[in-house]
Amino acid sequence: GKGPNAMYRWATDWDTNTEEWLSLSLEEMQEKNDNRQRGLSFEIVATRDIQPGEEIFIDYGHDWEDAWNYHVENWKPPTGDFESYSSITRLNNEKKDLLDLETHGSNVQLGCIYSEEEEEDEDYYDDEYGGLVKSGEEYKIADGTTREEYYWPCTIYAKDEDGDAYTVRIEQSPQRAETSWAAEDMPLFLTEYPRESIVFLNKQGASDQNMPGTFRQPIGIQDEIFPEQWKDIARDDHHVGGIDGD
C-alpha cells in the first residue's frame, strides 16, 4: 500500500529510562544530562501489516514533504567535478572492469584490503617494480568485511594471465598513520592479489553527499508527543539533551 506503514513513539517497557525521563522537568533532565546519564529512546512500530521486503515508511511531516517537493521541482543535474559521477554501489554490484577506471566517473577510486601488520618481514625490493613487493594472495575478505576503513587506496599495476588476480600498488591510507614505505616515498606492490578484495570507492569528498544541490532537511518531531512540562519555555533559555522547548 501507499503512504506510511510505521510510526515513531517513545520507547516502552524495554527502556525504563525513557518512562522516568518523560516525567522530569527540564531542570531535572539537565542535571542527569550533566552527569552523562542516558535518557530518552524512540522505537519504530508498524501501523499496518508490512510484507517481507517492503520498505519502511514514516511520515516526516508537512515541512519535510514541502521541502522535498520543492527540491524535486527545482533540481538540476550537477556540473563540474560531479558531472561524470558514478554510483559506487552500482559499480561494485556489476563488478565493472578494474582496468577501465577512467571511464567510470571522476569520483571513483579503487580500494584494496590491506593490513600493515601482516608479513612485514617478507617485504623486499624488486628492481623490476622499483619498489617493495610481497605476495597479496592472503588478503581476502573475512566474515563479509565491507567496511570502508579496511580498504587502502590502490591502483592496478598488472592483471594475471588467468584473470582472477592482479598486481596492485597500495597507496597510503589517509585514515591511517603514515607507513615507513610512504615516508620514504617507496612504492609497495602486492602480487597475486584476489579480485574479490578490490572494490570501487568514492574519492575523499566526492560522494553524492558532497554534490551541490543535495537534499538536506531536518526530520521534525510531532509536538503532541512532548510532555506538557517541557512546553511553553523560551528556546533561548532552555536547551536540554538536543530537545528544545517551544
Side-chain angles (χ1 to χ4, degrees):
K2 296 182 179 180
N5 55 18
M7 61 175 287
Y8 56 82
R9 68 185 184 190
W10 295 117
T12 50
D13 53 0
W14 62 269
D15 181 16
T16 57
N17 285 340
T18 293
E19 182 179 4
E20 177 191 356
W21 278 53
L22 289 173
S23 66
L24 300 178
S25 67
L26 291 177
E27 291 75 17
E28 290 170 327
M29 289 175 59
Q30 182 67 67
E31 182 178 352
K32 286 182 174 292
N33 191 65
D34 290 343
N35 292 328
R36 305 183 65 82
Q37 297 182 36
R38 186 189 65 79
L40 300 166
S41 299
F42 281 124
E43 62 186 17
I44 307 297
V45 295
T47 56
R48 60 170 174 80
D49 290 341
I50 300 176
Q51 301 303 314
E54 183 181 355
E55 188 172 356
I56 305 298
F57 288 101
I58 295 174
D59 185 357
Y60 289 168
H62 294 299
D63 289 346
W64 190 96
E65 188 171 354
D66 290 345
W68 172 251
N69 290 335
Y70 179 85
H71 171 77
V72 171
E73 292 173 3
N74 293 274
W75 182 84
K76 293 180 175 57
T79 58
D81 292 340
F82 286 97
E83 192 167 1
S84 62
Y85 175 87
S86 291
S87 165
I88 297 302
T89 300
R90 179 180 59 80
L91 293 175
N92 284 317
N93 288 342
E94 296 177 0
K95 297 190 179 301
K96 291 292 188 178
D97 186 2
L98 300 176
L99 300 179
D100 201 20
L101 188 63
E102 292 184 358
T103 67
H104 295 326
S106 59
N107 60 301
V108 180
Q109 66 176 356
L110 296 180
C112 296
I113 289 180
Y114 176 70
S115 174
E116 180 65 6
E117 292 75 28
E118 294 186 19
E119 302 179 7
E120 290 306 305
D121 292 338
E122 298 183 17
D123 288 359
Y124 64 93
Y125 184 84
D126 189 295
D127 289 331
E128 178 184 354
Y129 291 89
L132 300 174
V133 180
K134 68 176 182 178
S135 172
E137 189 175 6
E138 300 302 319
Y139 288 97
K140 296 181 180 179
I141 296 177
D143 300 325
T145 297
T146 57
R147 294 198 325 206
E148 190 166 319
E149 59 262 34
Y150 287 104
Y151 294 94
W152 291 51
C154 62
T155 54
I156 303 297
Y157 185 78
K159 186 176 183 180
D160 291 4
E161 292 184 2
D162 61 12
D164 293 329
Y166 295 80
T167 297
V168 299
R169 177 177 176 178
I170 302 296
E171 310 286 349
Q172 172 65 52
S173 170
Q175 299 176 343
R176 306 283 180 164
E178 187 177 38
T179 61
S180 58
W181 44 267
E184 297 174 5
D185 199 24
M186 180 70 66
L188 172 63
F189 297 92
L190 304 180
T191 60
E192 302 176 293
Y193 194 88
R195 168 64 181 89
E196 67 193 60
S197 297
I198 307 174
V199 299
F200 294 99
L201 297 174
N202 282 305
K203 295 177 181 177
Q204 195 166 16
S207 72
D208 55 1
Q209 298 181 36
N210 300 98
M211 281 186 177
T214 296
F215 179 69
R216 302 184 189 281
Q217 175 70 20
I219 299 174
I221 301 177
Q222 298 176 7
D223 290 340
E224 53 265 28
I225 77 168
F226 292 104
E228 291 300 317
Q229 71 268 23
W230 296 359
K231 298 179 180 179
D232 298 325
I233 299 176
R235 181 180 300 273
D236 292 340
D237 294 335
H238 293 275
H239 180 81
V240 180
I243 299 177
D244 289 314
D246 291 326

